[in-house]
Amino acid sequence: MLNALAEAPDSRAFFAVLCRALPRRLPATRVDLLVRDWADGMCLPLAGDADAPDAPADAGQDANVFAEWLAGSGYASVAMQPLNAAGQHLGWLVLARRTAALGADALALAGQIAPLVALRLLHDRSRDEVAARDDAIAALERQLRSHEELRLRATMAIGTAHDIGNLLAAVVGHAQMVQREAPSALQRDLQTILRAARDGNVLLRRLIALKSGVHAVAMQALSLPVLARDAVDLTRPFWDARQDIMLRLQLQPVPPVRGSAADAREVLVNLILNAIGAMPGGGVLILRSFSDDTYGYLEVIDTGQGIAPEQQSRIFQTLASSREEGHGLGLSISRALAESHGGMLTVRSAPGEGATFTLALPLAQPGERTLGEPVAAAATRAAW
């Protein structure tokens, strides 16, 4: 039996040999295995007489309590052999008889079996620990590969951003050359091209700054009506050729707000493009400004298909889009930019009733220089 136990290839075969051999080697003897590895302990019956009762559920928690339970269940002779291996105590091998005493032969056999059982338990525990460690190492290796891939992509993105910045600088230079010779009818369009190229360069610098973890934003006092007109000019190619879209500007004069002009224009351009995309069959696009004691507000309103309530909580999440052609980045970036300026970006909508996106930016402090030309005192209302 001892040789068969030593040669067993796995735990299943080991305990199968043990359970077959014990009734022959230790007749009329109950044999239990108490293992301490489990949180509540475990009692595993290996052999028993025909009238052997089942051990209580908590038998494996305390060997002395188990021995007392055996005595109370009619077992007159109880012996406990410790399961020790590699300097560790793993549990007990418990022998019990109802009438005959446990003799020296039974105790000697238990003393031979116990070290083999302890070694098997220790081997299984070590194997499980190694497997868990291997799984943890494999998971870390996958994370490292993923991080390395992200690092390479980030490096390529930063390099690409640098090169695009050079191209935008060339666009600015050539536009300035053309602007010097262009007639007055083209000056507004050329100024829009210059503004778009310069804003693009600001956005690229923001991307490159991620490498160092620092994104310094130049804050200044801004005119919301001027920013709205800038965004309208920047998006003109997307709505001017569409006869089914009417643009209305309801730009009340409001106190200056505090923020970055390039970032604010980026948010407004995103909102206008989204509004146009929400009206594939045409409609009205409205830009409206107003203020209270704390914030200046600019609303971008469309009469499109609207947004379902269950989607309104998702559209500002990264990679979430309510349109098939959307990338799920514009609104998440826009909200992040608004909040980084101490502002907010919110939405009101209902299916079939269009949507209203509201950009709120904190009012500028007295004395801050306002970027942009002053607007007329009367509300501006235009339609194309």
Side-chain angles (χ1 to χ4, degrees):
M1 179 184 71
L2 296 179
N3 289 336
L5 290 175
E7 295 173 358
D10 53 37
S11 293
R12 183 185 295 273
F14 179 90
F15 286 106
V17 170
L18 197 58
C19 290
R20 286 195 302 268
L22 285 176
R24 297 195 303 269
R25 297 297 187 92
L26 297 172
T29 304
R30 176 182 178 130
V31 182
D32 292 275
L33 185 65
L34 303 184
V35 184
R36 300 177 57 188
D37 279 356
W38 281 261
D40 296 330
M42 183 187 75
C43 178
L44 178 65
L46 299 177
D49 54 54
D51 299 327
D54 293 333
D58 59 349
Q61 296 180 6
D62 190 315
N64 292 326
V65 171
F66 181 58
E68 292 175 0
W69 175 82
L70 286 173
S73 300
Y75 291 94
S77 180
V78 177
M80 306 181 68
Q81 183 70 36
L83 301 175
N84 297 329
Q88 300 183 48
H89 176 60
L90 305 176
W92 300 89
L93 185 68
V94 183
L95 280 61
R97 285 180 179 172
R98 291 187 177 277
T99 55
L102 290 164
D105 291 344
L107 297 178
L109 182 61
Q112 293 175 319
I113 294 173
L116 293 176
V117 173
L119 286 172
R120 172 54 60 178
L121 294 174
L122 186 61
H123 172 269
D124 290 348
R125 186 174 69 179
S126 300
R127 181 196 58 200
D128 293 342
E129 290 176 351
V130 169
R133 193 158 48 243
D134 288 344
D135 289 342
I137 291 173
L140 288 174
E141 289 176 345
R142 289 193 296 270
Q143 290 180 4
L144 286 174
R145 286 195 296 270
S146 177
H147 290 166
E148 179 63 16
E149 182 179 351
L150 291 175
R151 187 189 68 81
L152 291 174
R153 288 185 178 184
T155 301
M156 292 180 62
I158 291 171
T160 302
H162 179 270
D163 294 340
I164 293 175
N166 291 338
L167 295 176
L168 288 176
V171 170
V172 170
H174 283 77
Q176 288 174 332
M177 292 172 58
V178 174
Q179 191 178 38
R180 287 196 293 268
E181 305 294 335
S184 57
L186 296 179
Q187 289 297 324
R188 179 176 177 180
D189 289 337
L190 287 170
Q191 187 61 35
T192 299
I193 292 173
L194 286 169
R195 184 180 296 112
R198 287 166 177 156
D199 282 357
N201 197 34
V202 170
L203 301 183
L204 289 173
R205 287 202 304 272
R206 186 174 71 206
L207 175 61
I208 294 173
L210 293 178
K211 182 178 181 181
S212 62
V214 177
H215 172 214
V217 178
M219 296 290 186
Q220 55 192 153
L222 307 173
S223 167
L224 278 179
V226 170
L227 291 173
R229 292 182 181 279
D230 289 346
V232 166
D233 288 340
L234 289 168
T235 57
R236 183 180 296 272
F238 297 92
W239 55 263
D240 193 37
R242 289 186 56 178
Q243 300 300 317
D244 57 352
I245 289 185
M246 176 175 290
L247 176 67
R248 294 177 180 172
L249 301 183
Q250 301 175 358
L251 302 176
Q252 301 288 341
V254 297
V257 297
R258 189 172 188 271
S260 161
D263 288 349
R265 278 193 290 264
E266 179 182 359
V267 173
L268 294 177
V269 166
N270 278 330
L271 295 180
I272 292 173
L273 294 180
N274 284 349
I276 294 170
M279 298 185 292
V284 180
L285 173 62
I286 302 172
L287 271 68
R288 187 168 75 95
S289 62
F290 59 97
S291 65
D292 57 22
D293 293 337
T294 306
Y295 293 98
Y297 301 90
L298 201 141
E299 292 182 333
V300 178
I301 308 167
D302 67 71
T303 57
Q305 55 199 8
I307 305 170
E310 63 271 14
Q311 291 181 329
Q312 293 179 28
S313 61
R314 296 182 58 251
I315 58 175
F316 292 106
Q317 298 175 10
T318 304
L319 302 181
S321 176
S322 60
R323 304 199 312 272
E324 292 183 1
E325 70 278 10
H327 300 292
L329 292 173
L331 287 176
S332 62
I333 293 174
S334 295
R335 171 169 276 185
L337 288 173
E339 292 177 351
S340 71
H341 289 56
M344 298 173 289
L345 179 60
T346 57
V347 62
R348 302 191 311 276
S349 182
E353 298 182 8
T356 298
F357 285 85
T358 304
L359 171 64
L361 292 175
L363 298 181
Q365 298 299 316
E368 287 186 288
R369 187 176 63 86
T370 304
L371 182 68
E373 297 296 330
V375 296
T380 303
R381 182 184 181 92
W384 284 271

Coordinates of all heavy atoms in Angstrom, one line a residue, residues 130-163:
V130 N 1.4 27.5 -7.5 CA 2.2 27.7 -8.7 C 1.3 28.1 -9.9 O 1.6 29.0 -10.6 CB 3.1 26.5 -9.0 CG1 3.7 26.7 -10.4 CG2 4.2 26.4 -8.0
A131 N 0.2 27.3 -10.0 CA -0.7 27.6 -11.1 C -1.3 29.0 -11.0 O -1.4 29.8 -11.9 CB -1.8 26.6 -11.1
A132 N -1.7 29.4 -9.7 CA -2.2 30.8 -9.5 C -1.1 31.8 -9.8 O -1.4 32.9 -10.4 CB -2.7 30.9 -8.1
R133 N 0.1 31.5 -9.4 CA 1.2 32.5 -9.7 C 1.5 32.6 -11.2 O 1.7 33.7 -11.7 CB 2.5 32.0 -8.9 CG 3.5 33.1 -8.9 CD 4.5 32.8 -7.7 NE 5.0 31.4 -7.7 CZ 4.7 30.6 -6.6 NH1 4.0 31.1 -5.6 NH2 5.2 29.4 -6.6
D134 N 1.4 31.4 -11.9 CA 1.6 31.4 -13.3 C 0.5 32.2 -14.0 O 0.8 33.0 -15.0 CB 1.6 30.0 -13.9 CG 2.9 29.2 -13.5 OD1 3.9 29.9 -13.1 OD2 2.9 28.0 -13.6
D135 N -0.7 32.1 -13.5 CA -1.8 32.8 -14.1 C -1.6 34.3 -13.9 O -1.9 35.2 -14.8 CB -3.2 32.4 -13.5 CG -3.6 31.0 -13.9 OD1 -3.1 30.5 -14.9 OD2 -4.5 30.4 -13.2
A136 N -1.2 34.7 -12.7 CA -0.9 36.1 -12.4 C 0.2 36.7 -13.2 O 0.1 37.8 -13.7 CB -0.6 36.3 -10.9
I137 N 1.3 35.9 -13.4 CA 2.4 36.3 -14.3 C 1.9 36.5 -15.7 O 2.3 37.4 -16.4 CB 3.5 35.3 -14.2 CG1 4.2 35.3 -12.8 CG2 4.6 35.6 -15.2 CD1 5.2 34.3 -12.5
A138 N 1.1 35.5 -16.2 CA 0.6 35.6 -17.6 C -0.3 36.9 -17.7 O -0.2 37.5 -18.8 CB -0.2 34.4 -17.9
A139 N -1.1 37.2 -16.7 CA -1.9 38.4 -16.8 C -1.0 39.6 -16.8 O -1.3 40.6 -17.6 CB -2.9 38.4 -15.6
L140 N 0.0 39.6 -16.0 CA 0.9 40.8 -16.0 C 1.6 40.9 -17.3 O 1.8 42.1 -17.8 CB 1.9 40.6 -14.8 CG 1.4 40.8 -13.4 CD1 2.5 40.5 -12.4 CD2 0.9 42.3 -13.2
E141 N 2.0 39.8 -17.9 CA 2.7 39.9 -19.2 C 1.8 40.4 -20.3 O 2.2 41.2 -21.1 CB 3.2 38.5 -19.6 CG 4.4 38.0 -18.8 CD 4.8 36.6 -19.1 OE1 4.0 35.9 -19.8 OE2 5.9 36.2 -18.7
R142 N 0.5 40.0 -20.2 CA -0.5 40.6 -21.2 C -0.7 42.1 -21.0 O -0.8 42.8 -21.9 CB -1.8 39.9 -21.0 CG -1.8 38.4 -21.5 CD -3.3 37.9 -21.6 NE -3.9 37.8 -20.3 CZ -3.9 36.8 -19.5 NH1 -3.2 35.7 -19.9 NH2 -4.5 36.8 -18.4
Q143 N -0.7 42.5 -19.7 CA -0.8 43.9 -19.4 C 0.4 44.7 -19.9 O 0.3 45.8 -20.5 CB -1.0 44.2 -17.9 CG -2.4 43.7 -17.4 CD -2.5 44.0 -15.9 OE1 -1.6 44.6 -15.3 NE2 -3.6 43.6 -15.3
L144 N 1.6 44.1 -19.7 CA 2.8 44.8 -20.2 C 2.8 44.9 -21.7 O 3.2 45.9 -22.3 CB 4.0 44.0 -19.7 CG 4.4 44.1 -18.2 CD1 5.5 43.1 -17.9 CD2 4.8 45.5 -17.9
R145 N 2.4 43.8 -22.4 CA 2.3 43.9 -23.9 C 1.3 45.0 -24.3 O 1.6 45.7 -25.2 CB 1.9 42.5 -24.4 CG 3.1 41.5 -24.4 CD 2.7 40.3 -25.3 NE 1.6 39.6 -24.8 CZ 1.6 38.6 -24.0 NH1 2.8 38.2 -23.5 NH2 0.5 38.0 -23.6
S146 N 0.2 45.0 -23.6 CA -0.8 46.0 -23.9 C -0.3 47.4 -23.7 O -0.4 48.3 -24.5 CB -2.1 45.8 -23.1 OG -3.0 46.8 -23.4
H147 N 0.4 47.6 -22.5 CA 1.0 48.9 -22.2 C 2.1 49.3 -23.2 O 2.2 50.5 -23.6 CB 1.6 48.9 -20.8 CG 0.5 48.9 -19.7 ND1 0.8 48.6 -18.4 CD2 -0.8 49.0 -19.8 CE1 -0.3 48.6 -17.7 NE2 -1.3 48.8 -18.5
E148 N 2.9 48.3 -23.6 CA 3.9 48.6 -24.6 C 3.3 49.0 -26.0 O 3.8 50.0 -26.6 CB 4.8 47.4 -24.8 CG 5.9 47.6 -25.8 CD 6.9 48.6 -25.4 OE1 6.9 49.0 -24.2 OE2 7.7 49.1 -26.3
E149 N 2.2 48.3 -26.3 CA 1.5 48.7 -27.6 C 1.0 50.1 -27.5 O 1.1 50.9 -28.4 CB 0.4 47.7 -27.9 CG -0.3 48.0 -29.2 CD -1.4 46.9 -29.4 OE1 -1.5 45.9 -28.7 OE2 -2.2 47.2 -30.4
L150 N 0.4 50.4 -26.3 CA -0.2 51.8 -26.1 C 0.9 52.8 -26.2 O 0.8 53.9 -26.7 CB -0.9 51.9 -24.8 CG -2.3 51.1 -24.8 CD1 -2.9 51.2 -23.4 CD2 -3.3 51.7 -25.8
R151 N 2.1 52.5 -25.5 CA 3.2 53.4 -25.5 C 3.7 53.7 -27.0 O 4.0 54.8 -27.3 CB 4.4 52.9 -24.7 CG 5.5 53.8 -24.5 CD 6.7 53.2 -23.8 NE 7.3 52.2 -24.7 CZ 8.2 52.6 -25.7 NH1 8.5 53.8 -25.9 NH2 8.7 51.6 -26.5
L152 N 3.8 52.6 -27.8 CA 4.2 52.8 -29.1 C 3.2 53.7 -29.9 O 3.6 54.5 -30.7 CB 4.4 51.4 -29.8 CG 5.6 50.6 -29.3 CD1 5.6 49.2 -29.9 CD2 6.9 51.3 -29.6
R153 N 2.0 53.4 -29.7 CA 0.9 54.2 -30.4 C 1.0 55.6 -30.0 O 0.8 56.5 -30.8 CB -0.4 53.6 -30.1 CG -0.7 52.3 -30.8 CD -2.1 51.8 -30.6 NE -2.4 50.6 -31.3 CZ -3.6 50.0 -31.3 NH1 -4.6 50.6 -30.7 NH2 -3.8 48.8 -31.9
A154 N 1.2 55.9 -28.7 CA 1.3 57.2 -28.2 C 2.5 57.9 -28.8 O 2.4 59.1 -29.2 CB 1.3 57.2 -26.7
T155 N 3.6 57.2 -28.9 CA 4.8 57.8 -29.5 C 4.6 58.2 -30.9 O 5.0 59.3 -31.4 CB 6.0 56.8 -29.3 OG1 6.2 56.5 -28.0 CG2 7.3 57.4 -29.9
M156 N 3.9 57.3 -31.6 CA 3.6 57.6 -33.1 C 2.7 58.7 -33.2 O 2.8 59.6 -34.1 CB 3.0 56.3 -33.7 CG 4.0 55.2 -33.9 SD 3.3 53.7 -34.6 CE 2.8 54.4 -36.2
A157 N 1.7 58.8 -32.3 CA 0.7 59.9 -32.3 C 1.4 61.2 -32.0 O 1.1 62.2 -32.7 CB -0.4 59.6 -31.3
I158 N 2.3 61.2 -31.1 CA 3.0 62.5 -30.8 C 3.9 62.9 -31.9 O 3.9 64.1 -32.3 CB 3.8 62.3 -29.5 CG1 2.9 62.2 -28.3 CG2 4.7 63.5 -29.3 CD1 3.6 61.8 -27.0
G159 N 4.5 61.9 -32.5 CA 5.4 62.3 -33.7 C 4.5 62.8 -34.8 O 4.9 63.7 -35.5
T160 N 3.4 62.1 -35.1 CA 2.5 62.6 -36.1 C 1.9 63.9 -35.8 O 1.8 64.8 -36.7 CB 1.3 61.6 -36.3 OG1 1.8 60.3 -36.6 CG2 0.4 62.0 -37.4
A161 N 1.6 64.2 -34.6 CA 1.1 65.5 -34.2 C 2.1 66.6 -34.5 O 1.8 67.7 -35.0 CB 0.7 65.5 -32.7
H162 N 3.4 66.3 -34.2 CA 4.5 67.2 -34.5 C 4.6 67.5 -36.0 O 4.7 68.7 -36.4 CB 5.8 66.7 -34.0 CG 7.0 67.6 -34.2 ND1 7.7 67.5 -35.4 CD2 7.5 68.5 -33.5 CE1 8.7 68.4 -35.3 NE2 8.6 69.0 -34.2
D163 N 4.5 66.5 -36.8 CA 4.5 66.7 -38.2 C 3.3 67.5 -38.8 O 3.5 68.3 -39.7 CB 4.7 65.4 -39.0 CG 6.0 64.7 -38.6 OD1 6.9 65.4 -38.2 OD2 6.1 63.4 -38.8

